[in-house]
Amino acid sequence: MTERFEIARLGAQGDGIAETASGPVFVPFALPGETVTAARDKDRAALVSVVEASPLRVAPPCRHFTECGGCALQHLEPAAYLEFKRGKVAQALLGKGIEASVAATIPCAPNSRRRAVFSARRGDGGMLFGYRRALSHEIIDITECPISVPEIEAALGPLKGLSDVICKVQTPFHMIVTQTASGLDIAAEESGSLSEKARKVASDFVIRHGFARLTVDGEIIIEPKKPMVFFGEISVFPPPGGFLQAVASAEAAMADLVMGHLRRAKKVLDLFAGSGAFALRLARSAEVHAVEGDGAALAALDRGFRFGTGLKRVTAEKRDLFRRPVTFKELAAFDGLVFDPPRAGAEDQAKQIARSEVPYVAAVSCNPTTLARDLRILIDGGYALKSVTPIDQFLWSPHVEAVALLEKPKRRR
């Protein structure tokens, strides 16, 4: 049975929220100011029709929108969409008592995402390849993806064909596809073990379609061309399935903010350094010590440094920063610092930074909630928050990156 709802605002996940006598009801794909009919199930409702549309509603660019769970906000006018993301960061900061001027969101263009994680499963009618429906395990078979770079979108058919070749399980599995300068780098996870015959078929398929590399559960099946990405002007060979910022322009925007803030630093610490997106850029003007828990990523960073030119000294340290954060005493050796942790943030590491005297700190985060928590720790430790800049990297999703820049005045002796 359907009900009529008046949408008051957008929720943190991009759902329209209607206030009712029994509490808020979340209606995906509805916008503030709209009157809609929806089928309610407790505090959620499936949109049936838009009775009165918001002037902010626009035509979504993808035929799979509302079915595929990858995007939540294709129907929202661009300026309002960017303000929604800026507001998420601002509200997270206010939740921790941080009143800061949050800059306008740096936008992300369509067809710019170079790293995508697809789901695949063999069904009764053949392979399904795409993204999962929102709040469901059902896989939506896709034929287009306007967030992905053209190289990935154009390869959706062959990627689906490759998933059929390597699928040896009845359960869903993931395929991480990354655009590199050498071609598409494909890493399958939990697709099942391959026989020698299947390896040969998969290898022939990869060569025929010009893919750079195929790995299955971390094992390289074939690598016709070594995948290569650039951090600034430095080439790096990322490990199979390794972390990479999803959009190259977003990574460059983050790096520009970080490098500008740390320009006076002569010895910089890069925490959660990955394969060197910040470290190798910073090494143009400063000595850098990069700390990362993933050995394969650290090896890629180290190789990028050793074969790069025009770089100052870069040292690398494998270390689990969640179990063993860099202490405030160790931090005394540095005059600049950047940290870019996973979504969980870096609470224990932030406590050590707060006790330090590092004058320039850049905090990069994909989670406004944990960023606000960590910034609160730093501010309470004497740091002044100079700027916060949201960056859109996950187009038409509720997710937002942010770069916060802080300084600590030198103590008078």
Side-chain angles (χ1 to χ4, degrees), residues 82 105-109 249 390-393:
L82 293 174
T105 304
I106 295 176
C108 172
S249 63
I391 299 171
D392 190 18
Q393 179 164 222

Side-chain angles (χ1 to χ4, degrees), residues 163-337:
S163 72
D164 190 20
V165 169
I166 66 172
C167 178
K168 305 302 175 185
V169 294
Q170 296 300 313
T171 52
F173 63 93
H174 291 115
M175 185 180 281
I176 304 168
V177 181
T178 304
Q179 176 217 19
T180 75
S182 316
L184 297 186
D185 182 16
I186 303 159
E189 296 179 350
E190 299 182 347
S191 59
S193 59
L194 299 179
S195 64
E196 287 303 316
K197 180 179 179 181
R199 287 168 180 262
K200 178 65 166 60
V201 173
S203 297
D204 290 345
F205 192 102
V206 166
I207 293 171
R208 186 164 65 252
H209 290 279
F211 297 147
R213 177 170 64 186
L214 170 66
T215 61
V216 175
D217 289 330
E219 180 188 356
I220 297 176
I221 303 301
I222 186 171
E223 188 180 65
K225 296 171 284 187
K226 204 164 188 63
M228 180 171 60
V229 297
F230 287 88
F231 297 145
E233 299 174 353
I234 304 301
S235 61
V236 172
F237 302 131
F243 174 79
L244 187 70
Q245 297 290 353
V247 174
S249 63
E251 177 186 276
M254 288 185 268
D256 286 347
L257 288 166
V258 170
M259 290 190 296
H261 187 57
L262 303 183
R263 65 188 181 279
R264 297 186 185 90
K266 300 303 180 185
K267 194 166 184 182
V268 174
L269 180 64
D270 183 358
L271 301 174
F272 307 96
S275 295
F278 295 125
L280 294 174
R281 287 178 167 99
L282 288 164
R284 288 289 183 195
S285 58
E287 290 189 8
V288 180
H289 183 60
V291 184
E292 166 61 45
D294 183 337
L298 210 58
L301 185 159
D302 185 62
R303 188 188 187 284
F305 162 64
R306 293 183 185 282
F307 285 86
T309 58
L311 301 181
K312 295 187 181 294
R313 184 167 177 254
V314 176
T315 52
E317 177 185 357
K318 184 180 178 183
R319 181 166 176 168
D320 185 340
L321 290 166
F322 292 105
R323 294 178 178 271
R324 194 163 64 92
V326 178
T327 68
F328 72 96
K329 291 183 178 180
E330 293 174 284
L331 292 173
F334 303 95
D335 56 355
L337 182 155

Side-chain angles (χ1 to χ4, degrees), residues 13-89:
Q13 297 306 309
D15 298 333
I17 299 179
E19 297 295 348
T20 73
S22 57
V25 176
F26 297 83
V27 187
F29 315 118
L31 295 175
E34 292 188 329
T35 301
V36 303
T37 59
R40 182 174 180 176
D41 181 13
K42 298 179 181 178
D43 66 345
R44 295 194 65 82
L47 182 66
V48 175
S49 67
V50 178
V51 179
E52 294 182 19
S54 165
L56 298 177
R57 181 174 285 274
V58 297
C62 180
R63 74 184 71 178
H64 302 297
F65 183 62
T66 73
E67 287 190 297
C68 165
C71 293
L73 293 162
Q74 286 189 13
H75 59 314
L76 180 58
E77 186 272 333
Y81 163 77
L82 293 174
E83 177 57 26
F84 164 75
K85 294 210 166 183
R86 193 199 72 83
K88 283 195 69 171
V89 176

Side-chain angles (χ1 to χ4, degrees), residues 112-171:
S112 62
R113 185 162 181 174
R114 63 180 174 183
R115 185 179 189 271
V117 182
F118 297 101
S119 294
R121 180 177 65 81
R122 194 184 305 284
D124 294 337
M127 288 301 300
L128 295 171
F129 183 87
Y131 299 109
R132 289 184 175 178
R133 188 187 297 275
L135 303 176
S136 170
H137 293 295
E138 179 186 358
I139 296 173
I140 303 300
D141 200 47
I142 65 170
T143 56
E144 65 181 35
C145 182
I147 64 171
S148 297
V149 293
E151 293 86 346
I152 292 179
E153 188 175 34
L156 288 174
L159 289 169
K160 180 178 180 179
L162 180 59
S163 72
D164 190 20
V165 169
I166 66 172
C167 178
K168 305 302 175 185
V169 294
Q170 296 300 313
T171 52

